Amino acid sequence: MATMKDVAKLAGVSVATVSSTLSGRSFVSDELKQRVEAAIRELGYAPNAMASGLKRGTSSLIGLIVPDITNPFFTELVHCIQRRAAEAGFVVLLGVSDDQVAREAELIALMRSHRVAGTIVIPCGGEQDCMNLSRLAAGMPLVAADNAPPGMALDTIVLDNRMAATLATSHLLSLGHKIIATIAGPPHRFVSHERFVGFMTVLESKGLSVGADHVKRGDFHVASAREAGLALLQSAPRPTAIFVANNQMLIGTMQAVAEMGLSVPHDVSVIAIDDFPWAAAFTPTLTTVRQPIDALAEAAIERLKLRVGGLQEDPCRIVLAPELVIRQSCRAPLEDA
Amino acid sequence: MATMKDVAKLAGVSVATVSSTLSGRSFVSDELKQRVEAAIRELGYAPNAMASGLKRGTSSLIGLIVPDITNPFFTELVHCIQRRAAEAGFVVLLGVSDDQVAREAELIALMRSHRVAGTIVIPCGGEQDCMNLSRLAAGMPLVAADNAPPGMALDTIVLDNRMAATLATSHLLSLGHKIIATIAGPPHRFVSHERFVGFMTVLESKGLSVGADHVKRGDFHVASAREAGLALLQSAPRPTAIFVANNQMLIGTMQAVAEMGLSVPHDVSVIAIDDFPWAAAFTPTLTTVRQPIDALAEAAIERLKLRVGGLQEDPCRIVLAPELVIRQSCRAPLEDA
DNA sequence: AACGTTTAGCTAAACGTTTCGTCAAGGGGG
DNA sequence: CCCCCTTGACGAAACGTTTAGCTAAACGTT
């Protein structure tokens, strides 16, 4: 593959002149500029980003580490981050941690090795694991989004998970539900915990209690929620509404309802956190709490750019407000059958 | 950030020894090996992939260019490719062409600049655009998957689109449908064309014809299919079945059916190419033709590895067989109402 | 004892850029 | 007319690795 030296030789100039022509950092006469450009075209020259990065000590790469790209929430987040990164002139180096803390740590080391300008991570671990992240970053600008507990020595950008749970739960209460169950996420994760606490707090404030039978844990994936849903629907008294901690588990819950020969919202109302593109295409359309994903992406890239620029101030925490999207999957409970 | 030189100094050895220790390419005594490892830990040293890539003339990066990551077919493909790339020791540099040929070309140049070992592209353009790709790659190993017409000077891996359309159409015919409409994809794209031809061929072979009113074009996105679906359902005679060219447009079609106050499969049967994770969660569950996405990913990575390894033989074309997944969205048509 | 061989480690020259300092030529002010 | 400043171009030294080639010590053979 052609190098700058080849271009220089063909154009009859020095490599310094070629470099100046490309970077525009110093003045080159039109005459030479044209000769250089012609040579570049003729040779099909593309500058070597590794050499340039090595010399300049930076790269135009940013790392992006997500637990699982097939979860539509993450898909959308990757989409938004990649778009905004591209607008800012960065290319995204994609890492998938597959929900494994050890893999996440490896990926951070990998990003460091590639001397990315900075990295955005959606942590997959519990609080302790998250607290480790800043140490692993070891100087690389690192911004944590979504599952990031407070107190990390990093810029963090999160949803107001308690408010999201509060919106969902209050909606169910306002429809008249009294027997409400939940399918929560993995207990050690920050987002699960917050959503669960939000849920319980609202109920307690209304003097309602939740039976142990009516609290199930899933792992944020479909299958676990199907099982949890089946168990909930067979418990007595059967809940009239289920608050589900994320979108994937909402699908599992819907499957469970169908398998039991019941229907939403006739027999049971269902609501979840995290909207997704097809929530409006289901029958019934699904009521959810939407996270402002693009705002999350924007804030993450913005903070990262500041840190890449050398900003040294204390870690900041940005908390974004969720929004209730009312569709058809929740309605008033039937009178006691 | 610490360099090899720092490590060498701290360990009291030369940089060559550090390099040997890390790469294992030549013998280092246990004594020194341990001193080096201790120094690495103490300094939090991570090798500079840019420097190493520059010197060795290769990188462990591969480029991946997709039209749109939010389409679940591409999401799954990115997922599988990234997993297999990681297994092979590569990191994925993600580019999104956003269905724009010009952007796709830019991204190929970008990948080239970063001296990726090779690139996998899902072309977003028509036949002419695709034919250009090998020229743009200019020596960089490039493998095209999915929307890749024959005749490209590249390894290509595609679904047997005609067979997919044939499976779907034959299924509708076998259920007794006579008035079948289609929502096809953008005409210039290879996959659209093949799917449309497959559809028409089957019908013609059975002596059936399709009215002009019953052929609509979408752009592979939801909204276009909703409109197309509304138009189809208002045409006379109303089709008893609709063959939809991809999964996103299936969603749009379902919306159209719902808006018309009709129901699937009672009033109209619906089938599409491209399965997706939630096809089984819809009511009714959706009948689709599944592409073997992971096999596509595997073959793409495999070919890419061969080319990266320097394989010079003629371009090869791998065609994968689709599979009909029968669920609930298709059934026999009602007797004439 | 002299000689090759092996071995463990080192020196130094690349890789393809960027950029600092230099230089020659030209122009303007005194 | 001389000097200095500006301008456009260049030479060369980095950046952090890898690796070919070297050195010196240790060893085994005659």
Side-chain angles (χ1 to χ4, degrees):
Chain A
M1 183 156 255
T3 75
M4 226 166 188
K5 210 150 108 187
D6 302 325
V7 174
K9 201 191 303 174
L10 184 60
V13 299
S14 72
V15 289
T17 304
V18 177
S19 180
S20 303
T21 306
L22 286 168
S23 69
R25 227 176 294 278
S26 95
F27 224 82
V28 181
S29 65
D30 280 351
E31 150 87 23
L32 262 47
K33 212 178 279 185
Q34 284 178 16
R35 295 221 308 262
V36 167
E37 277 157 7
I40 287 177
R41 270 194 305 280
E42 181 164 343
L43 293 171
Y45 168 76
N48 184 325
M50 292 199 270
S52 136
L54 172 59
K55 180 60 192 168
R56 319 231 336 244
T58 67
S59 76
S60 60
L61 266 38
I62 66 167
L64 174 57
I65 302 176
V66 297
D68 166 18
I69 199 182
T70 62
N71 174 325
F73 171 68
F74 295 133
T75 306
E76 183 70 18
L77 189 55
V78 170
H79 171 77
C80 292
I81 287 178
Q82 122 73 32
R83 185 166 46 76
R84 291 190 174 273
E87 283 167 10
F90 290 110
V91 196
V92 168
L93 211 47
L94 180 67
V96 175
S97 65
D98 214 6
D99 276 328
Q100 297 179 336
V101 175
R103 179 75 187 133
E104 184 176 277
E106 277 175 31
L107 286 169
I108 289 186
L110 194 67
M111 298 303 173
R112 225 160 75 84
S113 234
H114 280 278
R115 298 297 189 270
V116 297
T119 294
I120 297 175
V121 61
I122 318 298
C124 64
E127 294 221 10
Q128 275 318 305
D129 304 312
C130 289
M131 294 305 163
N132 265 329
L133 289 176
S134 54
R135 219 173 27 74
L136 292 173
M140 168 180 68
L142 183 63
V143 170
D146 190 43
N147 180 42
M152 293 172 71
L154 295 175
D155 290 342
T156 51
I157 303 157
V158 297
L159 172 76
D160 187 338
N161 285 286
R162 292 205 192 194
M163 182 187 284
T166 303
L167 284 175
T169 313
S170 303
H171 179 59
L172 294 175
L173 289 176
S174 73
L175 290 170
H177 289 277
K178 300 270 189 307
I179 312 176
I180 304 178
T182 185
I183 302 178
H188 63 289
R189 288 228 209 154
F190 172 70
V191 295
S192 313
H193 181 255
E194 292 290 296
R195 289 171 191 183
F196 183 65
V197 168
F199 170 72
M200 294 302 277
T201 306
V202 172
L203 291 186
E204 281 162 15
S205 75
K206 301 292 179 191
L208 292 173
S209 68
V210 185
D213 283 0
H214 286 169
V215 175
K216 297 288 172 192
R217 292 276 174 187
D219 61 5
F220 279 158
H221 295 285
V222 176
S224 65
R226 191 184 136 266
E227 283 181 40
L230 288 173
L232 287 178
L233 294 168
Q234 287 165 29
S235 66
R238 193 170 76 205
T240 61
I242 305 179
F243 164 64
V244 184
N246 86 333
N247 53 11
Q248 304 262 82
M249 296 205 298
L250 176 56
I251 303 300
T253 307
M254 294 298 287
Q255 287 179 359
V257 174
E259 279 180 44
M260 292 289 291
L262 301 174
S263 99
V264 172
H266 184 267
D267 302 300
V268 57
S269 288
V270 163
I271 191 169
I273 293 183
D274 286 346
D275 197 32
F276 57 103
W278 297 331
F282 271 79
T283 334
T285 59
L286 301 171
T287 297
T288 62
V289 178
R290 170 158 42 211
Q291 302 203 34
I293 298 187
D294 193 43
L296 204 66
E298 179 178 19
I301 290 279
E302 220 40 63
R303 289 310 296 182
L304 196 61
K305 283 203 290 193
L306 289 174
R307 294 299 178 178
V308 168
L311 182 73
Q312 285 299 338
E313 72 186 26
D314 287 348
C316 87
R317 185 170 183 83
I318 300 175
V319 180
L320 300 169
E323 177 194 358
L324 180 64
V325 182
I326 298 179
R327 297 201 185 91
Q328 300 166 348
S329 65
C330 298
R331 70 166 203 192
L334 294 178
E335 293 311 311
D336 286 331
Chain B
M1 182 155 260
T3 75
M4 225 165 190
K5 209 149 109 189
D6 302 325
V7 174
K9 201 189 306 175
L10 184 59
V13 300
S14 73
V15 289
T17 303
V18 178
S19 180
S20 303
T21 306
L22 285 169
S23 68
R25 227 177 294 277
S26 94
F27 219 81
V28 181
S29 65
D30 280 352
E31 150 87 24
L32 261 51
K33 212 179 280 186
Q34 284 178 18
R35 293 220 312 260
V36 168
E37 278 158 7
I40 287 177
R41 270 195 305 279
E42 181 163 346
L43 294 172
Y45 168 76
N48 185 324
M50 291 199 273
S52 137
L54 172 60
K55 177 61 192 167
R56 319 230 337 243
T58 67
S59 78
S60 60
L61 267 37
I62 66 169
L64 175 57
I65 303 176
V66 297
D68 166 19
I69 201 182
T70 62
N71 174 325
F73 171 69
F74 295 132
T75 306
E76 185 68 18
L77 190 55
V78 171
H79 172 76
C80 293
I81 288 178
Q82 121 73 32
R83 185 165 47 76
R84 290 187 175 275
E87 282 166 13
F90 290 110
V91 196
V92 168
L93 212 46
L94 180 67
V96 175
S97 66
D98 215 5
D99 276 327
Q100 298 180 336
V101 175
R103 178 77 186 131
E104 186 176 276
E106 277 176 30
L107 286 169
I108 288 186
L110 193 67
M111 298 304 171
R112 227 160 75 84
S113 232
H114 280 279
R115 297 299 188 269
V116 296
T119 295
I120 297 175
V121 61
I122 318 298
C124 64
E127 294 221 11
Q128 275 318 306
D129 305 313
C130 289
M131 293 306 162
N132 265 329
L133 289 177
S134 54
R135 220 172 29 72
L136 292 174
M140 167 179 70
L142 183 64
V143 170
D146 190 44
N147 180 42
M152 294 173 69
L154 295 175
D155 290 342
T156 50
I157 302 158
V158 298
L159 173 75
D160 187 338
N161 285 286
R162 290 204 194 193
M163 181 187 287
T166 302
L167 285 175
T169 313
S170 302
H171 179 59
L172 294 176
L173 288 175
S174 73
L175 289 170
H177 290 277
K178 301 273 190 304
I179 312 174
I180 304 178
T182 186
I183 302 178
H188 64 288
R189 287 227 210 156
F190 173 69
V191 296
S192 313
H193 182 254
E194 292 290 296
R195 290 171 190 183
F196 183 65
V197 168
F199 170 73
M200 294 301 277
T201 305
V202 172
L203 292 186
E204 281 162 15
S205 75
K206 300 292 180 193
L208 292 173
S209 67
V210 185
D213 282 3
H214 287 168
V215 175
K216 296 289 173 194
R217 293 278 175 185
D219 61 4
F220 279 157
H221 295 283
V222 177
S224 66
R226 191 184 135 268
E227 283 181 38
L230 289 173
L232 287 177
L233 294 169
Q234 288 167 27
S235 66
R238 192 170 76 206
T240 62
I242 305 179
F243 165 64
V244 184
N246 87 333
N247 53 10
Q248 303 262 84
M249 295 204 299
L250 176 56
I251 302 300
T253 307
M254 294 297 288
Q255 288 180 356
V257 174
E259 281 180 42
M260 292 288 292
L262 301 173
S263 101
V264 173
H266 184 268
D267 301 300
V268 57
S269 290
V270 163
I271 192 170
I273 294 184
D274 287 348
D275 197 33
F276 58 102
W278 297 330
F282 271 78
T283 334
T285 60
L286 300 172
T287 297
T288 63
V289 177
R290 169 155 48 207
Q291 303 204 36
I293 297 186
D294 193 43
L296 202 69
E298 180 179 17
I301 290 279
E302 221 40 62
R303 290 310 298 182
L304 196 62
K305 282 203 290 193
L306 288 174
R307 295 298 179 179
V308 168
L311 182 74
Q312 284 298 335
E313 73 187 24
D314 287 347
C316 87
R317 184 170 184 82
I318 299 175
V319 180
L320 300 169
E323 176 194 359
L324 180 65
V325 182
I326 297 179
R327 296 201 186 89
Q328 300 167 346
S329 64
C330 297
R331 70 166 204 192
L334 293 178
E335 295 310 310
D336 288 332

